[in-house]
Short mmCIF file of all heavy atoms in Angstrom, two decimals:
data_model
loop_
_atom_site.label_atom_id
_atom_site.label_comp_id
_atom_site.label_asym_id
_atom_site.label_seq_id
_atom_site.Cartn_x
_atom_site.Cartn_y
_atom_site.Cartn_z
N GLY A 64 122.81 -129.61 -38.62
CA GLY A 64 123.68 -128.99 -39.63
C GLY A 64 123.09 -127.72 -40.21
O GLY A 64 123.78 -126.72 -40.39
N GLU A 65 121.79 -127.75 -40.50
CA GLU A 65 121.11 -126.56 -41.03
C GLU A 65 121.11 -125.43 -40.01
O GLU A 65 121.36 -124.27 -40.34
CB GLU A 65 119.66 -126.88 -41.40
CG GLU A 65 119.49 -127.75 -42.62
CD GLU A 65 118.03 -128.12 -42.81
OE1 GLU A 65 117.55 -129.00 -42.06
OE2 GLU A 65 117.39 -127.52 -43.68
N LEU A 66 120.85 -125.76 -38.76
CA LEU A 66 120.83 -124.74 -37.71
C LEU A 66 122.21 -124.13 -37.51
O LEU A 66 122.34 -122.93 -37.29
CB LEU A 66 120.33 -125.32 -36.40
CG LEU A 66 118.83 -125.30 -36.19
CD1 LEU A 66 118.47 -125.99 -34.88
CD2 LEU A 66 118.26 -123.90 -36.21
N ARG A 67 123.24 -124.97 -37.57
CA ARG A 67 124.62 -124.46 -37.38
C ARG A 67 124.98 -123.42 -38.44
O ARG A 67 125.84 -122.58 -38.21
CB ARG A 67 125.62 -125.61 -37.40
CG ARG A 67 125.69 -126.33 -36.10
CD ARG A 67 127.00 -127.12 -35.96
NE ARG A 67 127.07 -127.68 -34.64
CZ ARG A 67 126.88 -128.95 -34.35
NH1 ARG A 67 126.60 -129.81 -35.30
NH2 ARG A 67 126.97 -129.38 -33.11
N GLU A 68 124.34 -123.49 -39.60
CA GLU A 68 124.63 -122.54 -40.69
C GLU A 68 124.04 -121.16 -40.42
O GLU A 68 124.45 -120.17 -41.01
CB GLU A 68 124.09 -123.07 -42.02
CG GLU A 68 124.77 -124.35 -42.49
CD GLU A 68 126.25 -124.16 -42.71
OE1 GLU A 68 126.65 -123.14 -43.32
OE2 GLU A 68 127.03 -125.02 -42.25
N LYS A 69 123.08 -121.07 -39.53
CA LYS A 69 122.45 -119.80 -39.21
C LYS A 69 123.41 -118.98 -38.35
O LYS A 69 124.08 -119.52 -37.47
CB LYS A 69 121.13 -120.02 -38.48
CG LYS A 69 120.15 -120.83 -39.29
CD LYS A 69 118.81 -120.17 -39.31
CE LYS A 69 117.86 -120.94 -40.17
NZ LYS A 69 117.54 -120.28 -41.39
N PRO A 70 123.49 -117.68 -38.59
CA PRO A 70 124.43 -116.83 -37.83
C PRO A 70 124.24 -116.97 -36.32
O PRO A 70 123.13 -116.86 -35.81
CB PRO A 70 124.07 -115.41 -38.29
CG PRO A 70 123.44 -115.60 -39.63
CD PRO A 70 122.73 -116.93 -39.58
N GLY A 71 125.34 -117.26 -35.62
CA GLY A 71 125.34 -117.33 -34.17
C GLY A 71 124.86 -118.64 -33.57
O GLY A 71 125.04 -118.87 -32.37
N MET A 72 124.23 -119.50 -34.36
CA MET A 72 123.65 -120.71 -33.80
C MET A 72 124.68 -121.78 -33.45
O MET A 72 124.46 -122.58 -32.55
CB MET A 72 122.60 -121.30 -34.74
CG MET A 72 121.32 -120.50 -34.81
SD MET A 72 120.45 -120.39 -33.25
CE MET A 72 119.62 -121.96 -33.21
N SER A 73 125.81 -121.81 -34.15
CA SER A 73 126.80 -122.85 -33.89
C SER A 73 127.28 -122.80 -32.44
O SER A 73 127.36 -123.83 -31.76
CB SER A 73 127.98 -122.70 -34.84
OG SER A 73 128.89 -123.76 -34.64
N ASP A 74 127.60 -121.61 -31.95
CA ASP A 74 128.05 -121.47 -30.56
C ASP A 74 126.95 -121.85 -29.57
O ASP A 74 127.22 -122.42 -28.52
CB ASP A 74 128.50 -120.03 -30.28
CG ASP A 74 129.80 -119.69 -31.00
OD1 ASP A 74 130.54 -120.62 -31.39
OD2 ASP A 74 130.07 -118.49 -31.18
N ILE A 75 125.72 -121.53 -29.91
CA ILE A 75 124.60 -121.85 -29.03
C ILE A 75 124.43 -123.36 -28.92
O ILE A 75 124.27 -123.91 -27.84
CB ILE A 75 123.30 -121.21 -29.55
CG1 ILE A 75 123.40 -119.69 -29.43
CG2 ILE A 75 122.07 -121.75 -28.83
CD1 ILE A 75 122.31 -118.95 -30.17
N LEU A 76 124.49 -124.03 -30.05
CA LEU A 76 124.26 -125.48 -30.07
C LEU A 76 125.39 -126.26 -29.41
O LEU A 76 125.19 -127.40 -29.01
CB LEU A 76 124.05 -125.94 -31.51
CG LEU A 76 122.79 -125.37 -32.17
CD1 LEU A 76 122.76 -125.73 -33.65
CD2 LEU A 76 121.53 -125.85 -31.47
N THR A 77 126.57 -125.67 -29.32
CA THR A 77 127.68 -126.37 -28.68
C THR A 77 127.89 -125.92 -27.23
O THR A 77 128.80 -126.41 -26.56
CB THR A 77 128.99 -126.16 -29.48
OG1 THR A 77 129.24 -124.75 -29.60
CG2 THR A 77 128.89 -126.78 -30.86
N SER A 78 127.07 -125.02 -26.75
CA SER A 78 127.16 -124.56 -25.37
C SER A 78 126.84 -125.71 -24.42
O SER A 78 125.94 -126.51 -24.68
CB SER A 78 126.19 -123.40 -25.14
OG SER A 78 126.05 -123.15 -23.75
N GLU A 79 127.55 -125.76 -23.30
CA GLU A 79 127.27 -126.80 -22.30
C GLU A 79 125.91 -126.61 -21.65
O GLU A 79 125.37 -127.54 -21.05
CB GLU A 79 128.36 -126.82 -21.24
CG GLU A 79 128.44 -125.53 -20.43
CD GLU A 79 129.60 -125.49 -19.47
OE1 GLU A 79 130.64 -126.11 -19.75
OE2 GLU A 79 129.46 -124.81 -18.44
N ILE A 80 125.33 -125.44 -21.78
CA ILE A 80 124.02 -125.15 -21.21
C ILE A 80 122.90 -125.66 -22.11
O ILE A 80 121.79 -125.90 -21.67
CB ILE A 80 123.86 -123.64 -20.94
CG1 ILE A 80 124.85 -123.19 -19.86
CG2 ILE A 80 122.45 -123.27 -20.54
CD1 ILE A 80 124.84 -121.69 -19.61
N THR A 81 123.18 -125.84 -23.40
CA THR A 81 122.15 -126.16 -24.38
C THR A 81 122.12 -127.65 -24.71
O THR A 81 123.16 -128.29 -24.86
CB THR A 81 122.41 -125.38 -25.69
OG1 THR A 81 122.53 -124.00 -25.39
CG2 THR A 81 121.30 -125.58 -26.69
N GLU A 82 120.90 -128.16 -24.84
CA GLU A 82 120.71 -129.50 -25.39
C GLU A 82 119.70 -129.39 -26.52
O GLU A 82 118.65 -128.78 -26.36
CB GLU A 82 120.21 -130.50 -24.36
CG GLU A 82 120.05 -131.89 -24.97
CD GLU A 82 119.79 -132.99 -23.95
OE1 GLU A 82 119.60 -132.70 -22.77
OE2 GLU A 82 119.79 -134.16 -24.37
N PHE A 83 120.02 -129.98 -27.66
CA PHE A 83 119.20 -129.86 -28.86
C PHE A 83 118.57 -131.20 -29.20
O PHE A 83 119.24 -132.23 -29.22
CB PHE A 83 120.04 -129.36 -30.03
CG PHE A 83 119.28 -129.23 -31.31
CD1 PHE A 83 118.38 -128.20 -31.50
CD2 PHE A 83 119.45 -130.15 -32.33
CE1 PHE A 83 117.66 -128.07 -32.68
CE2 PHE A 83 118.74 -130.04 -33.51
CZ PHE A 83 117.84 -128.99 -33.69
N PHE A 84 117.27 -131.16 -29.45
CA PHE A 84 116.54 -132.34 -29.93
C PHE A 84 116.06 -132.04 -31.34
O PHE A 84 115.28 -131.10 -31.53
CB PHE A 84 115.33 -132.65 -29.03
CG PHE A 84 115.70 -133.23 -27.70
CD1 PHE A 84 116.10 -132.41 -26.65
CD2 PHE A 84 115.67 -134.60 -27.49
CE1 PHE A 84 116.44 -132.94 -25.42
CE2 PHE A 84 116.02 -135.14 -26.26
CZ PHE A 84 116.41 -134.31 -25.22
N GLU A 85 116.54 -132.81 -32.27
CA GLU A 85 116.18 -132.62 -33.68
C GLU A 85 114.88 -133.33 -34.00
O GLU A 85 114.62 -134.43 -33.52
CB GLU A 85 117.31 -133.17 -34.56
CG GLU A 85 117.14 -132.90 -36.03
CD GLU A 85 118.33 -133.42 -36.83
OE1 GLU A 85 119.48 -133.31 -36.35
OE2 GLU A 85 118.09 -133.94 -37.93
#
Side-chain angles (χ1 to χ4, degrees):
E65 289 174 284
L66 272 177
R67 280 200 174 105
E68 296 299 315
K69 301 229 177 251
M72 288 298 279
S73 184
D74 290 340
I75 292 168
L76 296 172
T77 57
S78 167
E79 64 186 29
I80 294 176
T81 307
E82 181 170 8
F83 179 74
F84 287 82
E85 186 177 322

